[in-house]
Amino acid sequence: MAYSQQRFFVISLLCMTIVLSSGCQLTSNNVNSRLTYGEYYLALQQLSPQQILEEVIKQQTQVEQISNESPNYNAQIKLLLLYSSPKSPIYNSFHAKMLLNKLKNEENDAAFASITPSEQALISLLHDQLNQRLLMRNRLIAEQKLQQENFQKTGSMQQQNAIKIQQNLIEQVKLLEQTIKQLKDIEQAIDKRDQ
């Protein structure tokens, strides 16, 4: 009898532990899903590169599992934040801007319908920042292209100057050779007269 009570107690304790631990896990998942996008972005900054990579894979998997009937905008917005974070292994302003434009073009702004005004402000700020990054990048590319063209023009001008100098030197060598030949002819003529 005491053995069966002990066994019942152990089984009850084991069941309670399992239930409570799964409850804790559910609670932690719910807390994570209740993070605002600003808090999520700040949380990303605290993660190690490996943890960020795991988060990228998690969000990409959730985005890929989206059905057309009920898209997972939360995962898409988190993926947008991952593309926007310079610390992320998938950091890419172009992809972030493209995804943001796609989300903004969804029917009736469905992607941003359920977010708070402060989260909308964050998305608006992110939109402005991405535009500025891309403008700065385009300006930098244009400036580098202009510098390269100037360098090529300068190099081309230097090459043309070098060719002109080389041609002048060749002409001077020819003149010197003609002068030397004339001097030899004069010397031979003098030698013939002296004989």
Side-chain angles (χ1 to χ4, degrees), residues 19 57 61 66 104-105 113 133 141 157 167 169-170 186 188 190:
V19 168
I57 293 167
T61 302
I66 293 173
K104 283 189 173 244
N105 289 334
R133 279 187 202 167
I141 289 172
M157 289 172 56
Q167 288 173 343
L169 289 174
I170 289 172
I186 292 172
Q188 285 176 358
I190 292 176

Side-chain angles (χ1 to χ4, degrees), residues 74-188:
N74 184 47
Q76 289 181 10
I77 293 172
K78 286 182 177 179
L79 196 57
L80 165 67
L81 294 172
L82 283 161
Y83 277 126
S84 303
S85 173
K87 205 174 172 193
S88 172
I90 62 167
Y91 170 70
N92 188 321
S93 296
F94 284 116
H95 288 287
K97 180 72 168 120
M98 196 168 62
L99 182 56
L100 181 57
N101 288 343
K102 178 185 169 214
L103 289 170
K104 283 189 173 244
N105 289 334
E106 291 289 331
E107 279 186 31
N108 302 323
D109 256 350
F112 302 113
S114 64
I115 65 175
T116 66
S118 63
E119 290 174 326
Q120 288 178 356
L122 174 69
I123 298 298
S124 179
L125 177 65
L126 181 61
H127 180 264
D128 294 343
Q129 290 296 317
L130 289 172
N131 282 340
Q132 286 302 314
R133 279 187 202 167
L134 294 177
L135 282 173
M136 287 173 54
R137 183 185 179 282
N138 289 342
R139 285 182 192 150
L140 181 63
I141 289 172
E143 187 176 309
Q144 287 174 343
K145 187 176 180 182
L146 182 63
Q147 285 178 349
Q148 187 176 12
E149 288 172 359
N150 288 340
F151 180 73
Q152 288 175 346
K153 285 179 185 177
T154 304
S156 176
M157 289 172 56
Q158 287 176 347
Q159 188 176 16
Q160 289 173 356
N161 286 340
I163 289 172
K164 285 180 184 178
I165 290 171
Q166 186 179 14
Q167 288 173 343
N168 286 339
L169 289 174
I170 289 172
E171 288 176 16
Q172 287 177 359
V173 168
K174 285 181 181 178
L175 283 173
L176 287 173
E177 286 176 349
Q178 286 176 356
T179 305
I180 290 172
K181 185 178 178 192
Q182 288 174 353
L183 288 173
K184 282 184 181 180
D185 289 344
I186 292 172
E187 184 180 358
Q188 285 176 358

Side-chain angles (χ1 to χ4, degrees), residues 12 22 34 46 50 96 109 137 139:
S12 298
S22 65
R34 280 190 239 147
Q46 306 303 317
Q50 179 61 35
D109 256 350
R137 183 185 179 282
R139 285 182 192 150

